[in-house]
Amino acid sequence: MSQQDTPQQAAAERWEAAERLALVLTEGGLQRMSARTLAVFLFTDSEAVTMGDIAERLAVSAGSVSGAVRALASTGLIERLPAPGSRREHYRLRQDAWPTLFSTQNTVVRVMLQAAETGIAATASGDPAHARLTQMRDFYQFLLGELPGLLERWKQAQAPHQPPRRAERAQ
Protein backbone atom coordinates (compact mmCIF):
# COMPACT_ATOMS: atom_id res chain seq x y z
CA MET A 1 0.00 0.00 0.00
CA SER A 2 1.40 3.38 -0.96
CA GLN A 3 0.50 6.77 0.46
CA GLN A 4 -1.03 7.70 -2.89
CA ASP A 5 -3.63 4.91 -2.83
CA THR A 6 -7.24 5.90 -2.48
CA PRO A 7 -9.17 4.34 0.42
CA GLN A 8 -10.85 2.03 -2.08
CA GLN A 9 -7.49 0.91 -3.47
CA ALA A 10 -6.13 0.36 0.03
CA ALA A 11 -9.20 -1.72 0.97
CA ALA A 12 -8.87 -3.78 -2.21
CA GLU A 13 -5.17 -4.42 -1.51
CA ARG A 14 -6.00 -5.38 2.07
CA TRP A 15 -8.55 -8.01 0.98
CA GLU A 16 -6.32 -9.29 -1.80
CA ALA A 17 -3.69 -9.90 0.88
CA ALA A 18 -6.34 -11.67 2.97
CA GLU A 19 -7.18 -13.97 0.06
CA ARG A 20 -3.48 -14.69 -0.52
CA LEU A 21 -3.12 -15.62 3.15
CA ALA A 22 -6.18 -17.88 2.84
CA LEU A 23 -4.53 -19.66 -0.10
CA VAL A 24 -1.38 -20.23 1.93
CA LEU A 25 -3.43 -21.56 4.85
CA THR A 26 -5.31 -23.87 2.47
CA GLU A 27 -2.04 -25.16 1.03
CA GLY A 28 -0.97 -25.77 4.63
CA GLY A 29 -3.96 -28.06 5.19
CA LEU A 30 -6.75 -25.82 6.47
CA GLN A 31 -10.14 -26.24 4.81
CA ARG A 32 -10.70 -23.52 2.21
CA MET A 33 -13.70 -21.88 3.88
CA SER A 34 -12.03 -22.00 7.30
CA ALA A 35 -8.93 -20.39 5.80
CA ARG A 36 -10.94 -17.63 4.13
CA THR A 37 -12.95 -17.07 7.30
CA LEU A 38 -9.80 -16.88 9.43
CA ALA A 39 -8.43 -14.32 6.97
CA VAL A 40 -11.51 -12.17 7.57
CA PHE A 41 -10.86 -12.25 11.32
CA LEU A 42 -7.21 -11.34 10.78
CA PHE A 43 -7.82 -8.51 8.32
CA THR A 44 -11.03 -6.95 9.57
CA ASP A 45 -10.86 -3.53 11.17
CA SER A 46 -13.94 -4.34 13.26
CA GLU A 47 -13.70 -5.53 16.86
CA ALA A 48 -16.20 -8.32 16.09
CA VAL A 49 -17.98 -9.76 13.06
CA THR A 50 -21.10 -11.82 12.48
CA MET A 51 -21.49 -14.79 10.15
CA GLY A 52 -23.45 -12.45 7.90
CA ASP A 53 -20.53 -10.02 7.80
CA ILE A 54 -18.17 -12.84 6.87
CA ALA A 55 -20.52 -14.19 4.21
CA GLU A 56 -20.86 -10.72 2.70
CA ARG A 57 -17.09 -10.11 2.71
CA LEU A 58 -16.41 -13.49 1.07
CA ALA A 59 -19.46 -13.38 -1.25
CA VAL A 60 -20.67 -16.78 -0.03
CA SER A 61 -23.77 -18.06 1.75
CA ALA A 62 -24.05 -17.71 5.52
CA GLY A 63 -24.55 -21.46 5.69
CA SER A 64 -21.13 -22.11 4.20
CA VAL A 65 -19.57 -19.82 6.81
CA SER A 66 -21.26 -21.60 9.72
CA GLY A 67 -19.07 -24.71 9.60
CA ALA A 68 -15.92 -22.63 9.30
CA VAL A 69 -16.88 -20.53 12.32
CA ARG A 70 -17.58 -23.69 14.33
CA ALA A 71 -14.22 -25.16 13.33
CA LEU A 72 -12.30 -22.00 14.24
CA ALA A 73 -14.14 -21.69 17.56
CA SER A 74 -13.47 -25.33 18.43
CA THR A 75 -9.72 -24.84 17.94
CA GLY A 76 -9.78 -21.76 20.17
CA LEU A 77 -8.88 -19.23 17.48
CA ILE A 78 -12.11 -17.26 17.70
CA GLU A 79 -14.62 -16.64 20.46
CA ARG A 80 -18.27 -15.68 20.59
CA LEU A 81 -19.05 -12.37 22.22
CA PRO A 82 -22.17 -11.24 23.99
CA ALA A 83 -24.11 -8.81 21.83
CA PRO A 84 -26.99 -7.39 23.88
CA GLY A 85 -29.87 -6.33 21.70
CA SER A 86 -28.64 -8.20 18.64
CA ARG A 87 -30.19 -11.35 17.27
CA ARG A 88 -26.92 -12.21 15.53
CA GLU A 89 -23.96 -13.90 17.17
CA HIS A 90 -20.77 -11.84 17.17
CA TYR A 91 -17.28 -13.35 17.02
CA ARG A 92 -13.74 -12.07 17.29
CA LEU A 93 -10.23 -13.45 17.02
CA ARG A 94 -9.12 -14.33 20.54
CA GLN A 95 -6.44 -12.12 22.04
CA ASP A 96 -4.49 -15.31 22.80
CA ALA A 97 -5.47 -17.14 19.61
CA TRP A 98 -2.06 -18.49 18.62
CA PRO A 99 -0.90 -19.79 22.00
CA THR A 100 -4.38 -21.27 22.51
CA LEU A 101 -4.17 -23.03 19.16
CA PHE A 102 -0.73 -24.36 20.01
CA SER A 103 -1.94 -25.50 23.43
CA THR A 104 -4.77 -27.48 21.86
CA GLN A 105 -2.16 -29.19 19.73
CA ASN A 106 -1.02 -31.00 22.89
CA THR A 107 -3.84 -33.46 22.24
CA VAL A 108 -2.51 -34.13 18.73
CA VAL A 109 1.02 -34.50 20.10
CA ARG A 110 -0.18 -37.00 22.72
CA VAL A 111 -2.04 -39.02 20.07
CA MET A 112 1.06 -39.10 17.86
CA LEU A 113 3.19 -40.10 20.84
CA GLN A 114 0.81 -42.93 21.69
CA ALA A 115 0.76 -44.08 18.06
CA ALA A 116 4.55 -44.19 18.01
CA GLU A 117 4.68 -46.16 21.25
CA THR A 118 2.13 -48.63 19.90
CA GLY A 119 4.25 -49.03 16.75
CA ILE A 120 7.42 -49.51 18.77
CA ALA A 121 5.74 -52.27 20.77
CA ALA A 122 4.69 -53.98 17.52
CA THR A 123 8.17 -53.97 15.91
CA ALA A 124 11.47 -55.66 16.72
CA SER A 125 14.38 -53.54 17.93
CA GLY A 126 16.54 -54.21 14.83
CA ASP A 127 13.72 -53.36 12.43
CA PRO A 128 14.09 -50.04 10.50
CA ALA A 129 10.43 -49.29 11.32
CA HIS A 130 11.28 -49.61 15.01
CA ALA A 131 14.07 -47.05 14.64
CA ARG A 132 11.80 -44.60 12.76
CA LEU A 133 9.02 -45.01 15.32
CA THR A 134 11.49 -44.52 18.17
CA GLN A 135 12.66 -41.28 16.58
CA MET A 136 9.03 -40.22 16.16
CA ARG A 137 8.29 -40.98 19.81
CA ASP A 138 11.39 -39.16 20.98
CA PHE A 139 10.48 -36.09 18.93
CA TYR A 140 6.94 -35.93 20.29
CA GLN A 141 8.18 -36.47 23.87
CA PHE A 142 10.60 -33.59 23.36
CA LEU A 143 7.91 -31.39 21.83
CA LEU A 144 5.47 -32.13 24.63
CA GLY A 145 8.11 -31.25 27.20
CA GLU A 146 9.04 -28.00 25.47
CA LEU A 147 5.57 -26.61 24.67
CA PRO A 148 4.68 -25.32 28.16
CA GLY A 149 7.95 -23.40 28.52
CA LEU A 150 7.73 -22.10 24.97
CA LEU A 151 4.19 -20.82 25.53
CA GLU A 152 5.19 -19.22 28.83
CA ARG A 153 8.13 -17.43 27.19
CA TRP A 154 5.80 -16.21 24.43
CA LYS A 155 3.32 -14.93 27.01
CA GLN A 156 6.06 -13.05 28.87
CA ALA A 157 7.46 -11.59 25.64
CA GLN A 158 4.03 -10.37 24.55
CA ALA A 159 2.86 -8.90 27.87
CA PRO A 160 4.41 -5.45 27.35
CA HIS A 161 3.03 -5.27 23.79
CA GLN A 162 -0.59 -6.26 24.44
CA PRO A 163 -3.04 -3.37 24.13
CA PRO A 164 -6.27 -3.96 26.06
CA ARG A 165 -9.35 -4.83 24.01
CA ARG A 166 -11.96 -2.07 23.62
CA ALA A 167 -14.34 -3.71 26.09
CA GLU A 168 -11.53 -4.02 28.64
CA ARG A 169 -10.56 -0.35 28.22
CA ALA A 170 -14.12 0.79 28.91
CA GLN A 171 -14.18 -0.81 32.36
Side-chain angles (χ1 to χ4, degrees):
M1 185 171 92
S2 73
Q3 291 181 350
Q4 298 159 338
D5 286 348
T6 66
Q8 294 83 6
Q9 289 170 321
E13 286 178 24
R14 175 188 197 103
W15 292 108
E16 285 173 25
E19 288 291 347
R20 283 193 299 276
L21 174 64
L23 283 174
V24 170
L25 293 170
T26 300
E27 289 169 2
L30 199 59
Q31 293 290 325
R32 185 168 190 264
M33 188 52 64
S34 293
R36 294 185 74 210
T37 300
L38 179 56
V40 170
F41 282 101
L42 289 166
F43 281 84
T44 187
D45 55 2
S46 300
E47 180 69 17
V49 295
T50 65
M51 283 194 232
D53 297 333
I54 297 166
E56 183 179 324
R57 162 59 33 210
L58 299 178
V60 298
S61 71
S64 65
V65 171
S66 177
V69 166
R70 269 193 314 274
L72 295 173
S74 73
T75 61
L77 285 172
I78 64 171
E79 61 188 352
R80 188 168 48 162
L81 298 174
S86 176
R87 292 184 1 219
R88 295 175 146 196
E89 293 180 332
H90 291 73
Y91 299 88
R92 72 176 175 196
L93 188 70
R94 289 178 57 132
Q95 185 79 26
D96 61 348
W98 307 115
T100 298
L101 175 65
F102 220 76
S103 295
T104 62
Q105 295 303 308
N106 283 348
T107 303
V108 174
V109 171
R110 287 184 206 285
V111 167
M112 295 299 285
L113 181 59
Q114 182 60 47
E117 288 173 346
T118 300
I120 290 167
T123 57
S125 65
D127 188 333
H130 187 87
R132 289 189 296 268
L133 290 162
T134 299
Q135 185 179 32
M136 178 182 168
R137 180 207 54 208
D138 294 349
F139 172 77
Y140 282 108
Q141 282 178 333
F142 175 81
L143 188 59
L144 204 53
E146 291 295 315
L147 281 175
L150 180 66
L151 292 172
E152 184 56 35
R153 287 191 306 278
W154 168 257
K155 192 175 175 181
Q156 289 172 358
Q158 291 302 300
H161 308 293
Q162 289 298 328
R165 291 235 186 228
R166 290 180 193 161
E168 295 165 355
R169 280 184 253 150
Q171 295 176 352

